[in-house]
Amino acid sequence: MTSMGADRTGKRTGRSDLRAIFAVVLLTSVFPVDLVPGSSHDLRGTAGQFSGKQGQVLVVTVPAKGPDPEVSGRFLGRRIPFFQDRSGYVGLLGIDMQDAPGTHELAVEVTGPDGPHHLSYNVLVIKEKYPVQHLTLPKDKVDLDEESLLRVKSEQEQVKSMLEAESKQRLWEGRFIEPVSGAVSGAFGRVRVINGQSRNPHNGEDIAAPLGAEVVAMNDGIARLTVDHFFSGKGVFLDHGQGLYSMYFHLSEIAVEDGATVKRGQVIGRVGASGRATGPHLHWGVRLNGARVNPYALTRLSLDGLAASR
Ligand SMILES: [Zn+2]
């Protein structure tokens, strides 16, 4: 979703800028961390440490054996679900774009036949440097009239309640793909200061693509909600299960119906400039257990051999 004001992608990133972005992206990508191996008997007190930048995703593998233990984590008040895999129990931990830098605890509870075991891991959140844009605009371009304000509020409520509903079943499988190819703006986390007032940070990536270009699902899931909203225009929200959602905004056309099952790579809509957008592009956003993460953190994950079963 975009903050107040137009989603300006008119200014395209130059080639050298793009190279800089990719270099940064490579440096900031997070490597999956395998934690200390062990059996369910020596888990108590096992500790590990790993780190990632704001907006990134960590793959956490917890060694747990025995018949169907329940594994669940908590990080900064957010629940982190785990699923069974060959190497143990795997959870995707999203670091929100605005999680406070510093060390925080990931507390994991493994409940087996012999009762719950508690594991504690340190997660170092590293500050990401986001672009800041100062704009001065005429007041009437910034302030919404009463009617639009009410509309935006109810749209926000609609999205909020949908994102809070967590489907237990994991629906995604294997690697994640980019929904459309094009120039990536690098605007994830960008803060706009309009007439001296900070707006909500830009919580996705903008991909410039021709009007009508096909937009595909990043992974398997369910089309939980299709909308035509004031800021984000025509949009699709995909529910990939276990608290993972992806969203696709400013579409010219929506190609799925609410509740439809979608497969990775399936066309869900077409690139447009609906809502507040100055030109055709796709706004692609991802929520992971309530954290706003960079969607490209998912496409860069090394999930080889992972998530083969569900
Ligand atoms: Zn955007």
Side-chain angles (χ1 to χ4, degrees):
M1 224 170 318
T2 61
S3 55
M4 185 93 63
D7 198 346
R8 251 159 237 250
T9 49
K11 271 190 217 145
R12 289 282 162 255
T13 316
R15 208 165 253 284
S16 60
D17 289 342
L18 267 184
R19 267 200 295 270
I21 289 163
F22 286 130
V24 170
V25 154
L26 279 177
L27 285 173
T28 60
S29 66
V30 172
F31 302 98
V33 179
D34 278 316
L35 300 169
V36 190
S39 74
S40 60
H41 298 292
D42 55 42
L43 285 180
R44 200 184 296 262
T46 304
Q49 171 145 12
F50 44 100
S51 63
K53 279 197 168 185
Q54 292 170 322
Q56 295 297 325
V57 174
L58 296 167
V59 179
V60 180
T61 306
V62 171
K65 285 180 187 148
D68 274 344
E70 267 201 32
V71 184
S72 172
R74 266 208 112 66
F75 180 71
L76 290 171
R78 305 191 292 267
R79 202 181 88 79
I80 313 293
F82 282 75
F83 59 88
Q84 193 169 17
D85 192 69
R86 262 169 291 172
S87 51
Y89 279 75
V90 178
L92 296 188
L93 188 154
I95 302 173
D96 184 78
M97 65 198 317
Q98 289 189 316
D99 277 346
T103 302
H104 306 284
E105 187 196 25
L106 166 65
V108 180
E109 191 175 270
V110 182
T111 309
D114 51 348
H117 295 275
H118 297 277
L119 298 120
S120 178
Y121 303 102
N122 286 333
V123 179
L124 176 64
V125 174
I126 301 163
K127 192 171 174 52
E128 177 64 282
K129 220 170 158 329
Y130 296 121
V132 179
Q133 213 175 33
H134 290 268
L135 297 171
T136 306
L137 296 171
K139 213 173 145 21
D140 61 331
K141 290 251 177 198
V142 181
D143 294 336
L144 296 182
D145 59 62
E146 193 72 12
E147 196 188 334
S148 305
L149 208 58
L150 285 174
R151 180 182 159 187
V152 167
K153 277 201 177 131
S154 84
E155 289 170 354
Q156 285 169 340
E157 283 304 312
Q158 185 189 21
V159 170
K160 199 171 154 239
S161 59
M162 181 214 44
L163 292 175
E164 277 168 1
E166 187 191 294
S167 39
K168 297 271 174 286
Q169 195 92 17
R170 179 169 61 92
L171 303 168
W172 64 272
E173 186 171 20
R175 69 195 174 92
F176 293 86
I177 61 170
E178 209 181 18
V180 68
S181 59
V184 181
S185 72
F188 178 79
R190 179 199 57 211
V191 176
R192 279 218 174 107
V193 183
I194 301 175
N195 301 341
Q197 279 196 312
S198 281
R199 304 291 173 165
N200 289 330
H202 186 254
N203 59 16
E205 266 298 0
D206 293 329
I207 309 170
L211 184 73
E214 290 180 338
V215 174
V216 305
M218 70 169 194
N219 209 314
D220 299 357
I222 291 170
R224 193 54 76 194
L225 184 67
T226 58
V227 297
D228 192 352
H229 280 175
F230 184 85
F231 282 119
S232 48
K234 287 185 180 153
V236 175
F237 292 82
L238 296 186
D239 179 356
H240 303 282
Q242 287 198 331
L244 177 64
Y245 290 89
S246 59
M247 45 211 86
Y248 311 80
F249 295 158
H250 306 304
L251 303 172
S252 57
E253 235 178 81
I254 290 174
V256 282
E257 280 175 16
D258 285 16
T261 301
V262 296
K263 287 288 183 195
R264 174 180 50 227
Q266 184 182 325
V267 176
I268 54 168
R270 287 175 184 279
V271 169
S274 58
R276 290 277 181 113
T278 53
H281 73 283
L282 176 71
H283 173 105
W284 179 30
V286 167
R287 288 270 181 155
L288 178 57
N289 303 313
R292 299 159 295 176
V293 301
N294 190 325
Y296 285 95
L298 287 177
T299 60
R300 286 192 299 267
L301 283 182
S302 169
L303 295 167
D304 296 340
L306 193 79
S309 60
R310 58 183 164 187

